[in-house]
Amino acid sequence: MPVEGGPRERLWAHGARALSDAELLALLLGTGRPGASALHLARELLDAGGLPALRDRCAAGLARSKGVGQAKAARLAAALELGRRALEAPLVRGVAPVSYTHLTLPTTIKP
């Protein structure tokens, strides 16, 4: 992947919302493991059930993933906890959320 097209550069050029879940996760991981980039490692973590499964894993469970270890697991667990707290925090008076669609629309449409 060209340096100018990596997740960090895409974030600066287009904002965090333009990045995929794997790209955001790769930024939190920082590095991969021998033979696998941070983006590859992020995709592997997400392949095991996506964000819901990742959210539900404890730091020790994350650390057992190949290439993660305690430092990366702690970083991920902290970021997931911040996200959880942000969702639970009361809204500041006069500030509307950017979108309610994630609360009102189903994630999948069943026939």
Side-chain angles (χ1 to χ4, degrees):
M1 174 177 287
V3 173
E4 63 272 13
R8 184 181 324 125
E9 292 76 19
R10 284 182 23 81
L11 184 140
W12 284 109
H14 306 289
R17 288 179 181 251
L19 274 61
S20 68
D21 292 343
E23 290 172 311
L24 291 169
L25 186 56
L27 286 172
L28 289 171
L29 290 168
T31 61
R33 62 173 189 266
S37 68
L39 189 55
H40 183 86
L41 180 56
R43 288 181 180 134
E44 286 180 355
L45 289 170
L46 291 171
D47 283 346
L51 286 176
L54 189 66
R55 174 197 63 216
D56 294 337
R57 293 177 69 183
C58 65
L62 290 167
R64 286 190 291 272
S65 299
K66 185 178 178 182
V68 177
Q70 290 183 340
K72 289 177 187 172
R75 192 177 313 128
L76 293 179
L80 291 166
E81 182 58 27
L82 281 172
R84 193 175 292 114
R85 290 179 187 188
L87 286 175
E88 294 172 356
L91 294 176
V92 177
R93 186 175 170 174
V95 177
V98 175
S99 170
Y100 284 106
T101 57
H102 68 282
L103 300 174
T104 58
L105 296 176
T107 55
T108 57
I109 299 173
K110 297 180 181 177

